[in-house]
Amino acid sequence: TGTRKQTAGFNMAAFDAQDHSHRRFNPLMDEWVLVSPHRMKRPWKGQVEPPFDFSSIPRSDKSNPLTPGATRSNGSTNPEYTTTYVFPNDFPSLTHDMPQPEAAEAVEDTPEARLLRLDGVQGECRVMCFHPWSDITLPLMTREAIRAVIDEWTKQLAELGQRFKWVQLFENKGQAMGCSNPHPHCQVWATSFLPNVARTKDRTQREYFAKHKTQLLMDYIRLEEKQKVRTVVENEHWLAVVPYWALWPYETIVLPRRHVLRLIDLTDEEKNALADVLKRLLSKYDNLFQTSFPYSMGWHGAPTGPGFDSEDWSHWQLHAIYYPPLLRSATVKKFMVGYEMHAEAQRDLTAEQAAAKLQALSDRHFYQDTLDSAEK
């Protein structure tokens, strides 16, 4: 009895999830995450990232291929755009007209047939600029400008989704996430196949729906609305939380409260509310370490493609995921190496601890006053 117990000769304290190692299950990805909160106490002598200086980025630089009026490497010149701007990726990973392998004929069950598999791919890759200015990011944009970004996301999904099975909208922000160009932008990759992550999420949500007759993420939303310990920002239509099973230090998932399959299904009011949630969430990210917070963000919704509306995708729930690498400060990030690569994903602080830090921050950007003064 009591708060401590004797086990195999050792004096063991009662388990505390906020201080002791444990595993948490990610039902979306069907995998476990090792959580080791006590590791935040260890000193750090590893790599540090260079601090970000907002004032170091020029508002307009014609040598930057993403700015209005700039000439890109293929000789194309950008228009003098004043809002969002989308163009074909000059170095695409996928194209819709690339040569395809010949259809494989039925072969015998041999090691070669089993182990050396190949499949053709088709797709389209685009770059989408959020704003004409290079010295601004989503949290520093107005809600109206963010709404224009959401509208363009929806337009891209609607167009490419007619031809491709999966349309991945993603933003890599910051050098720590491999993005060398500071101009605010994202990418759109449309593919003829369902990628690994999408395929896994389709399976897990489908299996959950078949067993429980309700959507996995709708059940999760209700849990978070009830517990309120991992919520970072929210409004009438959206909820942004550090998921219980988060892997990256300050990972968040952004969810519509209503059952929604895809971005194209959002109402006008929900789009405005999404702009509000994104501005507040991303401002908190930047405020955490007083920097331009790096992350990789992606939208996941029900698959698309020819005839997609004739299939039942009701097990899906639209969501965006933010994966930020910073852990201890603006210059120290988490590395996915060693045990994480060879055994199982691991994080150092709990989802509740991360959410508490973000909750305590203002949702007004720390650089907003400086930016406003510069514009006067």
Side-chain angles (χ1 to χ4, degrees), residues 73-74 88-95 125 127 187 189:
S73 59
N74 66 353
N89 195 312
D90 296 330
F91 302 97
S93 297
L94 298 153
T95 65
C125 300
V127 176
Q187 297 190 54
W189 288 23

Side-chain angles (χ1 to χ4, degrees), residues 228-270:
K228 296 185 180 299
V229 292
R230 288 171 292 271
T231 301
V232 179
V233 296
E234 61 181 320
N235 59 27
E236 180 183 356
H237 297 286
W238 293 86
L239 193 68
V241 306
V242 178
Y244 177 80
W245 52 80
L247 168 56
W248 291 91
Y250 294 94
E251 175 181 332
T252 54
I253 183 170
V254 180
L255 294 151
R257 295 184 189 271
R258 180 176 68 90
H259 181 216
V260 178
L261 298 183
R262 306 174 182 87
L263 276 170
I264 56 177
D265 300 319
L266 294 176
T267 66
D268 193 65
E269 190 175 358
E270 286 169 334

Side-chain angles (χ1 to χ4, degrees), residues 141-156:
M141 290 165 55
T142 65
R143 285 170 173 79
E144 293 74 20
I146 298 174
R147 168 61 196 266
V149 170
I150 295 168
D151 286 340
E152 189 59 49
W153 283 341
T154 304
K155 179 181 176 181
Q156 293 297 312

